[in-house]
Every structure is written in C-alpha cells, then in structure tokens.
Amino acid sequence: MTSENAMLEEFAQREYEHGFVTDIEADAIAPGLSEDVVRLISSKKNEPEWLLEWRLKAYRHWLTLEEPNWHNVKYPPIDYQASVYYSAPKEKPKLSSLDEVDPVLLETYEKLGIPLQEQKVLANVAVDAVFDSVSIATTYRETLEKHGVIFRPFSEAVHEHPELVKKYLGSVIPYSDNFYASLNSAVFSDGSFCFIPKGVRCPMELSTYFRINAQNTGQFERTLIIAEEGAHVSYLEGCTAPKRDEHQLHAAVVELVAMDDAEIKYSTVQNWYPGDAEGVGGIYNFVTKRGACRGKNSKISWTQVETGSAITWKYPSVILQGDNSVGEFYSVAVTANHQQADTGTKMIHIGKNTKSTIISKGISAGVGQNSYRGEVKMMKGATNARNFSQCDSLLIGDRCGAHTFPYIEVRNTTAKVEHEASTSKVGEDQIYYLRQRGLSTEDAVNMIVNGFCKEVYDLLPMEFALEARKLLSVSLEGSVG
Amino acid sequence: MLEIKNLHARSDETEILRGIDLQVNAGEIHAIMGPNGSGKSTLAHVIAGREDYEVTQGEIHYNGKDLLDMEIEVRAAEGIFLAYQYPVEISGVSNKYFLRTAMNCVRKHHGESPIKRTEFIALLKQNLDRLGMDKSMMDRSVNEDFSGGEKKRNEILQMAMLQPKLAVLDETDSGLDIDALKIVANGVNALRSPERATIVVTHYQRLLDYIVPDKVHVLAGGKIVRSGDKSLALELEDKGYGFLQELTAT
C-alpha cells in the first residue's frame, strides 16, 4: 500500500508546459513603489487627471493598510519595494492591425495555443491579450462594434469612453476595499474593458489571455464588464507565466455590473506558474473579483478552474441587489506539490427572492493545501432568498490537506441557506478497479478526478471545458511507472 | 492457458495461499469452491494482480508468459478479466464513457484504433438486451447508487463488451435472486468458446446449475484439497463444508 502512495505522490509531480520566456525588449521602470511611480505609470499611459487622482487616493489609502493574515496560507513576507510595477514590450508606435504586432509576441501566443489570427473566426471568440502590463491585440473589434459592444484594452477605453470608465471604475470594488485591491487601484497597468449595451446579446465569447513574461514584474490588471438592461455576455479569461525561481506577484481586480435582466458569465482558467516540486518560484495570485447584480432578474455566474499559482487568494463574489437576481459560483481548484489555495466566494443577498448557488471542488495532491472559504449573507430585505452551497474535497495521497470555512449570516427569517460538504480520497480500490479494466494508473486518476469535477465542467463553455480537462491532467501528470 | 504452480501468497503477515496448483485450458470452465476464508477471493485477486497481496513462492504462467511479471493493466489488456464481488463506484464518470475508455485501452495495447462510435453503440445495445439491462444505466455514474444486482449485471456487461480470454468471477452469484442468477449465467455461457476459459469462484452450488463446470476444485486453508467433475459440487452441497476439516487436518 505504501507503493501505491509513492505512486500517487509521483503522479502529483507536475510539469509546467508554459514555462518558456519570450526574449523581447521591454520598457520597464525601476523596481519599487512610491507616489512618483504611480504618477509615472499614469503619465506613460497618458491618463487624464481624474484617473491619476484616483490612483493616488488608492496609493495613500494602501499605505494605511496591513497585509491580511487571516487566510490559511503561509509565505515569507513580500517586499513590495522589490517588484517592478510597469513593464511593456517596447512597442513600435501605433499599430493599426494585428499584422503589425511584433511577430515574437504573436509566436508566444501561438505557443500558448491562442491564435490571434483568423482561426478565431471558427472559434467565434474575440480575444484581448495582455502581455506583462499592456494589452497587445484585440481581435474582432469591428464585428463587435457593429453590435455596439465595446471590447477594449482598459487603457484605450480610458481615452475613448472616459464617461463609462469614470462611472463604473471602483463602483463595485472601491479603491479602499482591501490591501491588494488598493494596491491594484494605485498601479494597475492594463486589462480589458467590456460594455454590452441595452438589449444586446454579445455575438461571440469574449476572451482575455494574460501572460507575465518579464522578471520581478508584478501584474496588476483591471477588468471591468458592464451589461446594460437585458444584455448578455460570456467572458473567458486564461493566464500563464514562465518558470522563474523567484515569486511573482499578481494582484488583479475584476468588476462586473449587471443591470435589469442582464446576464454575465465569467469563466477563468488560471494556470499561472505554480512553482517547482520543491516549492521554489511560482506566482502569488491575490485577486479581488466581484460582481454586482444591480438590476432585477439579473444574473452573474463565476466559473473557475484554478490549477496554477504558488498561492491563490481569491473570492469571486456576487452582490445580489436587484430583486430576483441570481448569483452562481462554480469552482475547481487544484493544489499539487507545494501549492496553497484559499479560495471561495461571497454571496451577499440584499434583494427579495434572490438566489445563489455555490459548488466548489477542491483537489489536493502532494503537500498541497486547499481551503474553501465562503460567506453567505442574507440581509434584512432578502425576503425568500435562497442559497445552496456544496463543497467537495478530493485528496490524492496522504500528505495534502483540505479545509472548509463556511460563514453564514442570516438576518431575514424567510431566507433559506443550505450547506453540504464532503471529503473523499482517490481510493486505491478505485485505481485497482480501473486498472483491471485496462486503464493505466495515470488514466485511472484522471478519470476519477474528472468525474469529481464533472458538475463544474458541464458549466464551462465547451472549448474551455476541453482546455480545463487537459490542464487538469497536465497538472496531475507525472512519471508514473 | 493458465498454469499455477505451488502458489503462496500473503497479505501483511498472514499467509493465505499455501501452495496452489491449478491448470486451466482454453475452452474450460473451472469452479473454485470452499468455505469462507479459504482463500478463494485471494486467488482471484492474485491472478488479477492486486498489490495488497505478496506472492512469496510459486509461479503463474498465462499463455506461456510470466503473469506475475505483468502490471495489472497489462494483464487486463492481455485478456484477464475479474468480475468483482464488490464492484467499485466512480462518481461523475458515466458507465458508457468508462466502458468505451476501457475497450479503447485494451485496443490500444494491441495496436488497434479506437472503436467507432456506431460500432460501440450497436455492440452495447446488443449486450444490454441480452442482459436485460435498461440503457439509462449507461448514463449513470459507474456503479453509483446501483443495487447489488445491478452492480453484478454491470460486471457481466463489462465482461461481455471486453470479451476477455480468461474471465474470473469472484462470487458474482452472492446476493442475486434466481432471475438475476440466470442472466449472469447466460452472460458467462454466451462467452463460452474453444479460445476462452472461465474460473467461477463461488460459495454455493446453485450457480453451477446454470454454468456447468468442466472441473470443480475445493479450496480450504489456502490449498486445493479436492478436484473433480461437476458431481463434486453436488457432493459438497449434500455434505456441507464440514467434511473438509478431515481433509485439511491430514
């Protein structure tokens, strides 16, 4: 039986396939953070005064904050002065089409399996690609514009649609929200901006790929999605980074706003570099994601597959303000080797008849530690509100851990909250059974893990579900004898 | 096809098999009977390759190859199938997907391409009908929330689909009513051919009313204490396992 364990251990050892570095000249500023750095970032992006002021307010507030320590993850103190807060590929000035993007960059995205070119016609996905700190290319701009959909690098939206950005930036996650959100608000460099006007069903999936390339660089992107009355959008996000021996910081902010009858589906496949088998290197992923169901009958749905990062700290949440609004959170989080994840969601029910569903699947292997942390709040006005939460943990081997921290607060007597939790192990008897039918150990574990995640996979857009499946098998892949 | 010589095996510190000799030829059906704890199931699992058991002495040859040298999945791909006494549940994996994956793993081992979807569906339908199984079972998770009888039928279905050369049935009859027993027996008999062999491990004689064995072996205390034809099973039924104590004592 010890041999079985050793085999599972081995199985949990992973190879990271996106670990290459792109050799490209970068325009980066010196490491460190100060008001001057905030001003420099703002001026490099040629930002209006009001945005600079907002950044500075955020920075000054950040100085008063302490790094949170309530989470169930351990890491040495981060030196925020050692990080580079802005790095951009040295650009040829003004690109008018994709053909003019540096071919080395395009090649990078090809390697990542993200063809920015015409293949996308078939896939029907519009892509924005963010490399280190700046947005490289946005495809399908014209098709989208015909429908009135604005899909832009954030930095461009600031210039082209200042009134929209000003109105919604920080409206869901204020610059004072938390330590990492404040930091992001001060130094964010780029990200995606997306606006779906009233009554429009976005004609294609929108997608952003993030890539950290430069060394010692933090990535602080900001995404803002607004769905006006009756608008529908499905948005996908993917992330990778090269292998580096030092930790890199990633602190993103994503804000979603859904008005009456609007629907936003936000899917993430997060595959930042997790560090090596000994826990050296890897991305610190401290992310704030929140959606506001402002309008009645609105719906926001978060689906995430988290296989990367050394540390993940992330709680995509929904504020259910509009009556009859719906919030959903579906998550698969994998921690192998020395990875740690403290992730979950918050569902804040304010309006009447609001409904939320939480399905969280945590998989731990190696000495990985996986925590689910979820908060369900039923406010006074949340008459007949409903929540259902289900948290399942799967353990591979006997040195990893799974933890569940549910917080429930109910202030309305008609509200109903249900919570279910389970923990299971990949059983030796299951592996034996599948091998007796001809599957290799690796195929057997993949089959068991994929079965465990099925409820969440079924909710991912199809091509993402395939990617997630592949990613998970790579994550848990090893040299099984 | 299968040749077992002086096989000794233990689990942890306990020796369970203490010198088994058995020869099974292609085309034959062998029944292994014996009281609880005699080592019947252990023998079945040692043939399949379960790693909880350590073979301390003896050898097993399968079609001329050293079976003990082969990984579990290689044995399976080479045609050894074990119908489990307690089939295992796999949550979230549909029975259909599992079956097809298993078949394709075996095909891959033999350098064959994956089975075509239409071919698979046709074969599946044919076997479901024969076993009186509803096709809705194919969309349910492997063995999850199956009744005892459904699980056993599901084992026989897998056997029918995988078409093994050597099938080992580990107490497949336990907990089955008479109708289910007949169906299971039909499944086994349908597979009967000059190229295949079956070992039926059972505690009771009644399964052998429907699967007529060529040879019956009685296992007690980790050894085969008697072998004979099908009449031995009837004799056991008549006398019970009590009389074996004399045999094992000597």
Side-chain angles (χ1 to χ4, degrees), chain B residues 34-101:
Chain B
N36 292 329
S38 58
K40 304 190 297 285
S41 279
T42 300
L43 177 60
H45 285 289
V46 168
I47 293 171
R50 182 167 199 147
E51 285 160 353
D52 294 357
Y53 299 108
E54 188 195 347
V55 173
T56 51
Q57 256 191 79
E59 49 200 72
I60 307 180
H61 289 277
Y62 172 66
N63 288 332
K65 291 181 198 158
D66 181 359
L67 188 73
L68 297 175
D69 226 27
M70 289 152 77
E71 294 284 346
I72 298 168
E73 61 269 30
V74 175
R75 298 182 197 201
E78 290 282 325
I80 290 181
F81 179 92
L82 174 65
Y84 284 58
Q85 183 176 7
Y86 304 107
V88 177
E89 297 177 8
I90 316 280
S91 231
V93 176
S94 80
N95 227 349
K96 197 167 23 183
Y97 177 73
F98 162 63
L99 258 179
R100 205 163 151 200
T101 306

Side-chain angles (χ1 to χ4, degrees), chain A residues 221-255:
Chain A
E221 80 269 5
R222 193 142 190 134
T223 300
L224 179 52
I225 300 175
I226 301 135
E228 280 200 320
E229 257 177 76
H232 278 61
V233 63
S234 173
Y235 184 92
L236 324 170
E237 166 195 69
C239 335
T240 58
K243 289 183 184 180
R244 301 253 186 224
D245 285 347
E246 73 280 359
H247 295 291
Q248 286 179 289
L249 184 60
H250 173 251
V253 169
V254 176
E255 295 178 277

Side-chain angles (χ1 to χ4, degrees), chain A residues 433 437, chain B residues 81-88 133 143 150-160 172:
Chain A
Y433 186 68
R437 297 300 183 251
Chain B
F81 179 92
L82 174 65
Y84 284 58
Q85 183 176 7
Y86 304 107
V88 177
M133 287 168 75
N143 293 323
E150 282 174 333
K151 281 184 184 174
K152 295 292 172 69
R153 260 188 239 200
N154 202 28
E155 293 291 288
I156 300 303
L157 173 72
Q158 291 168 37
M159 184 178 85
T172 302

Side-chain angles (χ1 to χ4, degrees), chain B residues 1 25-28 163-165 191-198:
Chain B
M1 176 174 280
N25 300 315
E28 293 178 348
Q163 299 268 311
K165 292 202 185 86
L191 215 61
R192 199 163 193 167
S193 86
E195 298 86 48
R196 300 178 206 284
T198 305

Side-chain angles (χ1 to χ4, degrees), chain B residues 1-4 22-30 32 47 61-63 165-167 196-199 215 217:
Chain B
M1 176 174 280
L2 186 75
E3 200 174 354
I4 300 177
L22 179 67
Q23 171 142 1
V24 179
N25 300 315
E28 293 178 348
I29 294 184
H30 287 232
I32 310 252
I47 293 171
H61 289 277
Y62 172 66
N63 288 332
K165 292 202 185 86
L166 175 67
R196 300 178 206 284
T198 305
I199 297 174
K215 294 219 168 93
H217 309 276

